[in-house]
Amino acid sequence: MGTPVGRWVLFTTVLGSGMAMLDSTVVNVALPRIGRDLDADMAVLQWTVNAYMLTLAGLILLGGALGDRYGRRKVFVLGVCWFAAGSLLCGIAPNAGVLIAARALQGIGGALLTPGSLALIQASFHPDDRARAVGVWSGLGGVGAAVGPFLGGWLVDGPGWRWVFLLNMPLAALCVPVALRHVPESRDARVHAGRFDVLGALLGALSLALLTYALIAAPEQGASPVVIGAALAGVLLGMAFVRLERRLADPMLPPEIFASRQFTAVNLVTVCVYAAFAGFFFLAALQLQVVAGYSALGAGAALLPTTVLMLLLSARSGALGERIGPRVPLTVGPLLCAGGMLLMLRVGEGASYVRDVLPAVVVLGLGMVTLVAPLTATVLGAVDAGRAGLASGINNAAARAAGLIAVAALPLLTGMGPSAYRSATEFGATFRRAMPVCAGVLVAGSVLAFLTVRRPPVAACHPECRVACGVSGPPLERDRGV
């Protein structure tokens, strides 16, 4: 952590992944303005968010595998460049169709850079420093996600919503040369041959796409043959994906990685947590503007306390999780987040920021601080360093797929119509139904963590390593493997 190379690795990976995380939330606060400028209904706004998450979730495993084989730095840089190109297309999109297609292209870039950033940290840092490094990465990356609504609001009220996307261009221009000059290359030495599981990636992405379409189209079309057919086709393709992964010699999603109960459990907790987060941030930015009457900047600024808390406390949270184990943070964190979302029920027409909004976002921010860094560190700690890219990809795919389904399903579950965001009364009613659903999913994640997550055992040094290090005496529990 204290070396120049370590600082450069952290700077580069935080900048690259933070760019993707920032974009995933900065768009939310711009949605009402995008809808008005492009004359879009609620379904278009959902697709503006979900087109990005769809390609990201569907291809992120392939991105992790590419990095493990061809070099994590190389694939990371390619992802940053691709993401910047997609951002440029979003910024100049003349209509909703082009914007949605450009968002899908952005997701491909995110699928290349996101797993590579975390895998570079896992492969570059000494085991004793990884938890702190992941904590810093999670905290600053979380700041990128949390600052998104504030920055997006400033841009929307100022130069316009297109600058929400164009902002990524200078960030990418800074990230790429720093990565090429200062970040060491790494790859999985065991990965040399075998075909990439392109068919698996396509099946997974198509399954998610069809299920998402069915959920988004259902409020307007009802149980029409098209909606039912898309849902059934999505389920069948999902089953085909699982069967294919079990039969392939080099699958995109190796079933044996789930032999680790810890890895499986934490990914299930991830699904619950990030489904709730995605639903909350999608709806909260709209609630503050449509119902509470905030400007885009005001709505973004309202969520700023989560940024401050993540910036100040995430690194310490990662170190605390390393010291006490992941079970307590992964149990308490979701409960705090659920409490914050329930407090948002007080936000309605004429809401006071200090009395109604601030307590909710502070409690939510404390929950995120408690949860995010230990969650990430536990996922990576459940597998060996050589599979860091795959583990990161699986965890990110789980998070993005959960968010994708949540954004698609919440309007359906709460009875939100195509033009709900244009009516304060209608949108406020659906928001009040949505927050308890998000909180319930978080409580389920907390219970799951309490029942399934355990502290991983600490490996003692091999006797020969202890001799080489000049350490005598019996193995001690605090010793780390070399």
Side-chain angles (χ1 to χ4, degrees):
M1 284 286 289
T3 64
V5 173
R7 288 190 288 268
W8 280 119
V9 169
L10 272 177
F11 174 80
T12 306
T13 54
V14 166
L15 186 61
S17 60
M19 183 173 65
M21 293 181 184
L22 172 70
D23 201 82
S24 66
T25 58
V26 72
V27 175
N28 290 334
V29 77
L31 290 175
R33 192 70 58 84
I34 292 173
R36 288 195 296 270
D37 287 358
L38 301 182
D39 193 25
D41 61 13
M42 193 67 190
V44 170
L45 300 188
Q46 287 174 276
W47 276 116
T48 301
V49 175
N50 277 349
Y52 173 79
M53 289 198 288
L54 175 61
T55 51
L56 178 62
L59 301 176
I60 200 168
L61 292 176
L62 190 59
L66 286 169
D68 285 342
R69 178 177 297 187
Y70 293 117
R72 290 154 184 156
R73 185 187 66 180
K74 183 184 299 183
V75 173
F76 173 82
V77 169
L78 175 62
V80 172
C81 295
W82 193 308
F83 190 89
S87 299
L88 177 61
L89 290 175
C90 288
I92 62 175
N95 54 55
V98 175
L99 176 62
I100 291 171
R103 288 283 286 164
L105 288 175
Q106 268 191 313
I108 297 174
L112 295 173
L113 73 90
T114 302
S117 62
L118 199 50
L120 282 170
I121 291 177
Q122 187 76 355
S124 301
F125 280 91
H126 187 278
D128 289 346
D129 280 344
R130 279 182 195 147
R132 286 181 60 208
V134 170
V136 172
W137 178 88
S138 299
L140 295 179
V143 167
V147 80
F150 172 77
L151 183 59
W154 179 76
L155 291 171
V156 169
D157 286 345
W161 63 265
R162 295 181 184 278
W163 284 94
V164 166
F165 302 105
L166 296 176
L167 175 68
N168 293 319
M169 307 303 293
L171 297 179
L174 174 62
C175 184
V176 170
V178 172
L180 293 175
R181 180 175 177 82
H182 296 289
V183 176
E185 183 62 282
S186 66
R187 55 175 52 85
D188 189 347
R190 298 169 300 180
V191 179
H192 296 292
R195 297 180 177 179
F196 283 110
D197 184 12
V198 177
L199 179 59
L202 291 175
L203 286 175
L206 286 173
S207 174
L208 286 173
L210 288 168
L211 290 173
T212 302
Y213 172 80
L215 290 169
I216 291 177
E220 185 174 359
Q221 300 183 24
S224 66
V226 174
V227 170
I228 295 175
L232 289 176
V235 172
L236 291 175
L237 286 177
M239 295 170 61
F241 168 75
V242 173
R243 184 176 181 183
L244 177 69
E245 298 306 286
R246 290 179 175 177
R247 297 178 61 183
L248 287 179
D250 296 295
M252 181 179 70
L253 185 64
E256 66 270 13
I257 198 171
F258 293 99
S260 167
R261 292 182 60 188
Q262 185 89 321
F263 183 77
T264 304
V266 177
N267 275 287
L268 291 175
V269 175
T270 297
V271 168
C272 295
V273 166
Y274 280 91
F277 283 173
F280 172 80
F281 283 110
F282 175 69
L283 295 177
L286 289 167
Q287 174 76 1
L288 289 170
Q289 294 178 75
V290 174
V291 178
Y294 285 35
S295 66
L297 177 59
L303 302 174
L304 196 57
T306 58
T307 303
V308 177
L309 291 171
M310 291 287 285
L311 180 62
L312 295 177
L313 302 176
S314 282
R316 296 181 181 180
S317 174
L320 178 64
E322 175 75 4
R323 187 162 62 250
I324 68 174
R327 188 184 186 190
V328 172
L330 299 191
T331 301
V332 174
L335 293 178
L336 287 172
C337 292
M341 291 182 187
L342 291 177
L343 286 174
M344 282 293 291
L345 292 172
R346 302 167 61 187
V347 178
E349 294 186 35
S352 164
Y353 180 73
V354 174
R355 185 183 66 248
D356 301 320
V357 181
L358 183 60
V361 296
V362 167
V363 174
L364 176 66
L366 290 173
M368 293 174 68
V369 165
T370 305
L371 169 69
V372 172
L375 181 69
T376 306
T378 306
V379 166
L380 294 181
V383 299
D384 62 84
R387 310 197 85 178
L390 177 63
S392 174
I394 291 173
N395 187 246
N396 274 281
R400 308 312 167 193
L404 174 74
I405 298 300
V407 171
L410 267 177
L412 174 63
L413 294 175
T414 57
M416 189 177 296
S419 301
Y421 78 96
R422 295 189 174 101
S423 167
T425 302
E426 183 180 353
F427 191 88
T430 56
F431 183 82
R432 288 190 294 272
R433 292 193 290 268
M435 286 302 99
V437 173
C438 293
V441 173
L442 284 166
V443 172
S446 173
V447 173
L448 183 62
F450 180 79
L451 295 176
T452 60
V453 174
R454 296 293 181 268
R455 182 168 188 162
V458 179
C461 286
H462 189 278
E464 293 181 5
C465 292
R466 294 175 58 80
V467 171
C469 295
V471 182
S472 59
L476 301 175
E477 185 180 10
R478 66 175 179 269
D479 291 337
R480 303 293 183 183
V482 178

